[in-house]
mmCIF file of all heavy atoms in Angstrom:
data_model
loop_
_atom_site.group_PDB
_atom_site.id
_atom_site.type_symbol
_atom_site.label_atom_id
_atom_site.label_comp_id
_atom_site.label_asym_id
_atom_site.label_seq_id
_atom_site.Cartn_x
_atom_site.Cartn_y
_atom_site.Cartn_z
ATOM 1 N N SER A 103 4.751 -12.240 -16.910
ATOM 2 C CA SER A 103 4.576 -12.105 -18.356
ATOM 3 C C SER A 103 3.945 -10.760 -18.718
ATOM 4 O O SER A 103 4.403 -10.081 -19.654
ATOM 5 C CB SER A 103 3.716 -13.245 -18.891
ATOM 6 O OG SER A 103 2.448 -13.270 -18.248
ATOM 7 N N LEU A 104 2.903 -10.363 -17.997
ATOM 8 C CA LEU A 104 2.260 -9.078 -18.262
ATOM 9 C C LEU A 104 3.130 -7.915 -17.787
ATOM 10 O O LEU A 104 3.123 -6.838 -18.387
ATOM 11 C CB LEU A 104 0.886 -9.026 -17.596
ATOM 12 C CG LEU A 104 -0.190 -9.917 -18.212
ATOM 13 C CD1 LEU A 104 -1.496 -9.794 -17.445
ATOM 14 C CD2 LEU A 104 -0.417 -9.555 -19.674
ATOM 15 N N ASN A 105 3.864 -8.138 -16.714
ATOM 16 C CA ASN A 105 4.765 -7.102 -16.216
ATOM 17 C C ASN A 105 5.799 -6.751 -17.284
ATOM 18 O O ASN A 105 6.064 -5.576 -17.563
ATOM 19 C CB ASN A 105 5.451 -7.598 -14.940
ATOM 20 C CG ASN A 105 6.292 -6.522 -14.274
ATOM 21 O OD1 ASN A 105 6.470 -5.436 -14.801
ATOM 22 N ND2 ASN A 105 6.821 -6.837 -13.112
ATOM 23 N N LYS A 106 6.360 -7.769 -17.913
ATOM 24 C CA LYS A 106 7.371 -7.529 -18.955
ATOM 25 C C LYS A 106 6.755 -6.887 -20.191
ATOM 26 O O LYS A 106 7.349 -5.997 -20.807
ATOM 27 C CB LYS A 106 8.049 -8.843 -19.323
ATOM 28 C CG LYS A 106 8.944 -9.412 -18.237
ATOM 29 C CD LYS A 106 9.588 -10.712 -18.686
ATOM 30 C CE LYS A 106 10.536 -11.252 -17.623
ATOM 31 N NZ LYS A 106 11.173 -12.534 -18.028
ATOM 32 N N ALA A 107 5.549 -7.318 -20.565
ATOM 33 C CA ALA A 107 4.918 -6.809 -21.782
ATOM 34 C C ALA A 107 4.452 -5.370 -21.627
ATOM 35 O O ALA A 107 4.557 -4.570 -22.565
ATOM 36 C CB ALA A 107 3.734 -7.705 -22.164
ATOM 37 N N LEU A 108 3.933 -5.043 -20.451
ATOM 38 C CA LEU A 108 3.335 -3.720 -20.252
ATOM 39 C C LEU A 108 4.188 -2.791 -19.389
ATOM 40 O O LEU A 108 3.917 -1.586 -19.334
ATOM 41 C CB LEU A 108 1.949 -3.879 -19.608
ATOM 42 C CG LEU A 108 0.932 -4.727 -20.384
ATOM 43 C CD1 LEU A 108 -0.343 -4.895 -19.572
ATOM 44 C CD2 LEU A 108 0.630 -4.090 -21.727
ATOM 45 N N GLY A 109 5.171 -3.337 -18.719
ATOM 46 C CA GLY A 109 5.996 -2.517 -17.839
ATOM 47 C C GLY A 109 5.281 -2.093 -16.572
ATOM 48 O O GLY A 109 5.632 -1.084 -15.957
ATOM 49 N N VAL A 110 4.275 -2.857 -16.170
ATOM 50 C CA VAL A 110 3.495 -2.547 -14.964
ATOM 51 C C VAL A 110 3.419 -3.798 -14.101
ATOM 52 O O VAL A 110 3.019 -4.862 -14.569
ATOM 53 C CB VAL A 110 2.061 -2.089 -15.324
ATOM 54 C CG1 VAL A 110 1.252 -1.830 -14.062
ATOM 55 C CG2 VAL A 110 2.112 -0.843 -16.193
ATOM 56 N N GLY A 111 3.822 -3.678 -12.834
ATOM 57 C CA GLY A 111 3.805 -4.821 -11.940
ATOM 58 C C GLY A 111 2.552 -4.950 -11.108
ATOM 59 O O GLY A 111 2.198 -6.053 -10.678
ATOM 60 N N GLU A 112 1.867 -3.828 -10.886
ATOM 61 C CA GLU A 112 0.657 -3.863 -10.069
ATOM 62 C C GLU A 112 -0.258 -2.693 -10.424
ATOM 63 O O GLU A 112 0.185 -1.675 -10.977
ATOM 64 C CB GLU A 112 0.995 -3.842 -8.576
ATOM 65 C CG GLU A 112 1.706 -2.577 -8.126
ATOM 66 C CD GLU A 112 2.104 -2.603 -6.656
ATOM 67 O OE1 GLU A 112 2.308 -3.707 -6.116
ATOM 68 O OE2 GLU A 112 2.209 -1.515 -6.049
ATOM 69 N N ILE A 113 -1.524 -2.870 -10.117
ATOM 70 C CA ILE A 113 -2.540 -1.836 -10.327
ATOM 71 C C ILE A 113 -3.181 -1.542 -8.987
ATOM 72 O O ILE A 113 -3.581 -2.458 -8.265
ATOM 73 C CB ILE A 113 -3.619 -2.305 -11.323
ATOM 74 C CG1 ILE A 113 -2.992 -2.646 -12.675
ATOM 75 C CG2 ILE A 113 -4.706 -1.250 -11.477
ATOM 76 C CD1 ILE A 113 -3.947 -3.338 -13.626
ATOM 77 N N LYS A 114 -3.278 -0.269 -8.654
ATOM 78 C CA LYS A 114 -3.931 0.123 -7.401
ATOM 79 C C LYS A 114 -5.237 0.847 -7.709
ATOM 80 O O LYS A 114 -5.312 1.644 -8.643
ATOM 81 C CB LYS A 114 -3.022 1.022 -6.561
ATOM 82 C CG LYS A 114 -1.838 0.292 -5.948
ATOM 83 C CD LYS A 114 -1.048 1.208 -5.050
ATOM 84 C CE LYS A 114 0.141 0.483 -4.440
ATOM 85 N NZ LYS A 114 -0.282 -0.526 -3.457
ATOM 86 N N GLN A 115 -6.252 0.581 -6.887
ATOM 87 C CA GLN A 115 -7.556 1.210 -7.034
ATOM 88 C C GLN A 115 -8.067 1.651 -5.661
ATOM 89 O O GLN A 115 -8.040 0.878 -4.698
ATOM 90 C CB GLN A 115 -8.561 0.248 -7.670
ATOM 91 C CG GLN A 115 -9.954 0.850 -7.820
ATOM 92 C CD GLN A 115 -10.889 -0.013 -8.636
ATOM 93 O OE1 GLN A 115 -11.501 0.452 -9.596
ATOM 94 N NE2 GLN A 115 -11.036 -1.280 -8.283
ATOM 95 N N ASN A 116 -8.531 2.891 -5.592
ATOM 96 C CA ASN A 116 -9.138 3.422 -4.362
ATOM 97 C C ASN A 116 -10.649 3.440 -4.522
ATOM 98 O O ASN A 116 -11.166 3.825 -5.580
ATOM 99 C CB ASN A 116 -8.625 4.833 -4.074
ATOM 100 C CG ASN A 116 -7.136 4.845 -3.768
ATOM 101 O OD1 ASN A 116 -6.687 4.222 -2.816
ATOM 102 N ND2 ASN A 116 -6.365 5.540 -4.593
ATOM 103 N N ILE A 117 -11.351 3.027 -3.468
ATOM 104 C CA ILE A 117 -12.808 2.920 -3.517
ATOM 105 C C ILE A 117 -13.412 3.617 -2.314
ATOM 106 O O ILE A 117 -13.118 3.276 -1.159
ATOM 107 C CB ILE A 117 -13.260 1.448 -3.532
ATOM 108 C CG1 ILE A 117 -12.593 0.695 -4.694
ATOM 109 C CG2 ILE A 117 -14.775 1.352 -3.636
ATOM 110 C CD1 ILE A 117 -12.853 -0.797 -4.680
ATOM 111 N N LEU A 118 -14.264 4.590 -2.578
ATOM 112 C CA LEU A 118 -15.050 5.259 -1.542
ATOM 113 C C LEU A 118 -16.488 4.772 -1.656
ATOM 114 O O LEU A 118 -17.077 4.826 -2.738
ATOM 115 C CB LEU A 118 -14.984 6.779 -1.701
ATOM 116 C CG LEU A 118 -13.620 7.419 -1.472
ATOM 117 C CD1 LEU A 118 -13.674 8.908 -1.823
ATOM 118 C CD2 LEU A 118 -13.172 7.239 -0.023
ATOM 119 N N GLY A 119 -17.049 4.301 -0.554
ATOM 120 C CA GLY A 119 -18.391 3.747 -0.576
ATOM 121 C C GLY A 119 -19.334 4.439 0.385
ATOM 122 O O GLY A 119 -18.914 4.969 1.416
ATOM 123 N N ALA A 120 -20.609 4.416 0.044
ATOM 124 C CA ALA A 120 -21.664 4.919 0.923
ATOM 125 C C ALA A 120 -22.895 4.039 0.737
ATOM 126 O O ALA A 120 -23.175 3.579 -0.379
ATOM 127 C CB ALA A 120 -21.997 6.378 0.616
ATOM 128 N N LYS A 121 -23.603 3.791 1.825
ATOM 129 C CA LYS A 121 -24.789 2.947 1.794
ATOM 130 C C LYS A 121 -25.815 3.497 2.777
ATOM 131 O O LYS A 121 -25.457 3.945 3.862
ATOM 132 C CB LYS A 121 -24.432 1.506 2.166
ATOM 133 C CG LYS A 121 -25.571 0.506 2.040
ATOM 134 C CD LYS A 121 -25.224 -0.834 2.707
ATOM 135 C CE LYS A 121 -23.970 -1.452 2.139
ATOM 136 N NZ LYS A 121 -23.683 -2.775 2.779
ATOM 137 N N VAL A 122 -27.085 3.435 2.401
ATOM 138 C CA VAL A 122 -28.177 3.894 3.264
ATOM 139 C C VAL A 122 -29.214 2.784 3.376
ATOM 140 O O VAL A 122 -29.682 2.266 2.351
ATOM 141 C CB VAL A 122 -28.835 5.178 2.713
ATOM 142 C CG1 VAL A 122 -30.017 5.589 3.590
ATOM 143 C CG2 VAL A 122 -27.816 6.308 2.609
ATOM 144 N N ARG A 123 -29.553 2.423 4.613
ATOM 145 C CA ARG A 123 -30.638 1.461 4.811
ATOM 146 C C ARG A 123 -31.960 2.172 4.585
ATOM 147 O O ARG A 123 -32.271 3.149 5.251
ATOM 148 C CB ARG A 123 -30.587 0.876 6.224
ATOM 149 C CG ARG A 123 -31.682 -0.169 6.489
ATOM 150 C CD ARG A 123 -31.544 -0.802 7.862
ATOM 151 N NE ARG A 123 -31.719 0.147 8.928
ATOM 152 C CZ ARG A 123 -32.902 0.529 9.423
ATOM 153 N NH1 ARG A 123 -34.026 0.033 8.908
ATOM 154 N NH2 ARG A 123 -32.967 1.405 10.409
ATOM 155 N N LEU A 124 -32.748 1.671 3.640
ATOM 156 C CA LEU A 124 -34.019 2.306 3.302
ATOM 157 C C LEU A 124 -35.145 1.858 4.220
ATOM 158 O O LEU A 124 -35.902 2.682 4.743
ATOM 159 C CB LEU A 124 -34.379 1.995 1.849
ATOM 160 C CG LEU A 124 -33.388 2.473 0.784
ATOM 161 C CD1 LEU A 124 -33.848 2.045 -0.608
ATOM 162 C CD2 LEU A 124 -33.210 3.988 0.848
ATOM 163 N N PHE A 125 -35.280 0.557 4.415
ATOM 164 C CA PHE A 125 -36.334 0.032 5.284
ATOM 165 C C PHE A 125 -36.050 -1.435 5.589
ATOM 166 O O PHE A 125 -35.178 -2.063 4.986
ATOM 167 C CB PHE A 125 -37.713 0.175 4.637
ATOM 168 C CG PHE A 125 -37.855 -0.500 3.294
ATOM 169 C CD1 PHE A 125 -38.158 -1.856 3.194
ATOM 170 C CD2 PHE A 125 -37.673 0.225 2.115
ATOM 171 C CE1 PHE A 125 -38.277 -2.474 1.962
ATOM 172 C CE2 PHE A 125 -37.788 -0.398 0.874
ATOM 173 C CZ PHE A 125 -38.090 -1.747 0.803
ATOM 174 N N GLY A 126 -36.815 -1.981 6.523
ATOM 175 C CA GLY A 126 -36.720 -3.390 6.860
ATOM 176 C C GLY A 126 -35.645 -3.685 7.883
ATOM 177 O O GLY A 126 -34.764 -2.862 8.167
ATOM 178 N N ASP A 127 -35.727 -4.894 8.447
ATOM 179 C CA ASP A 127 -34.737 -5.365 9.403
ATOM 180 C C ASP A 127 -34.308 -6.768 8.996
ATOM 181 O O ASP A 127 -35.136 -7.592 8.584
ATOM 182 C CB ASP A 127 -35.313 -5.384 10.822
ATOM 183 C CG ASP A 127 -34.276 -5.809 11.846
ATOM 184 O OD1 ASP A 127 -33.536 -4.936 12.330
ATOM 185 O OD2 ASP A 127 -34.186 -7.019 12.154
ATOM 186 N N LEU A 128 -33.024 -7.030 9.133
ATOM 187 C CA LEU A 128 -32.447 -8.293 8.711
ATOM 188 C C LEU A 128 -33.152 -9.491 9.341
ATOM 189 O O LEU A 128 -33.390 -10.509 8.690
ATOM 190 C CB LEU A 128 -30.963 -8.305 9.080
ATOM 191 C CG LEU A 128 -30.129 -9.485 8.619
ATOM 192 C CD1 LEU A 128 -29.974 -9.470 7.118
ATOM 193 C CD2 LEU A 128 -28.760 -9.436 9.299
ATOM 194 N N VAL A 129 -33.521 -9.359 10.618
ATOM 195 C CA VAL A 129 -34.085 -10.482 11.369
ATOM 196 C C VAL A 129 -35.551 -10.287 11.704
ATOM 197 O O VAL A 129 -36.376 -11.191 11.528
ATOM 198 C CB VAL A 129 -33.279 -10.709 12.676
ATOM 199 C CG1 VAL A 129 -33.900 -11.825 13.517
ATOM 200 C CG2 VAL A 129 -31.812 -11.017 12.370
ATOM 201 N N TYR A 130 -35.937 -9.103 12.170
ATOM 202 C CA TYR A 130 -37.191 -8.945 12.884
ATOM 203 C C TYR A 130 -38.379 -8.497 12.029
ATOM 204 O O TYR A 130 -39.522 -8.596 12.480
ATOM 205 C CB TYR A 130 -36.995 -7.973 14.051
ATOM 206 C CG TYR A 130 -35.983 -8.489 15.044
ATOM 207 C CD1 TYR A 130 -34.743 -7.862 15.171
ATOM 208 C CD2 TYR A 130 -36.235 -9.621 15.812
ATOM 209 C CE1 TYR A 130 -33.794 -8.340 16.075
ATOM 210 C CE2 TYR A 130 -35.300 -10.101 16.707
ATOM 211 C CZ TYR A 130 -34.080 -9.455 16.837
ATOM 212 O OH TYR A 130 -33.151 -9.941 17.714
#
Side-chain angles (χ1 to χ4, degrees):
S103 58
L104 290 179
N105 186 354
K106 291 180 177 179
L108 302 175
V110 178
E112 63 183 27
I113 301 170
K114 289 184 180 290
Q115 179 171 233
N116 295 300
I117 305 173
L118 294 173
K121 185 192 302 182
V122 177
R123 181 176 64 84
L124 300 178
F125 58 84
D127 183 87
L128 185 68
V129 177
Y130 298 111

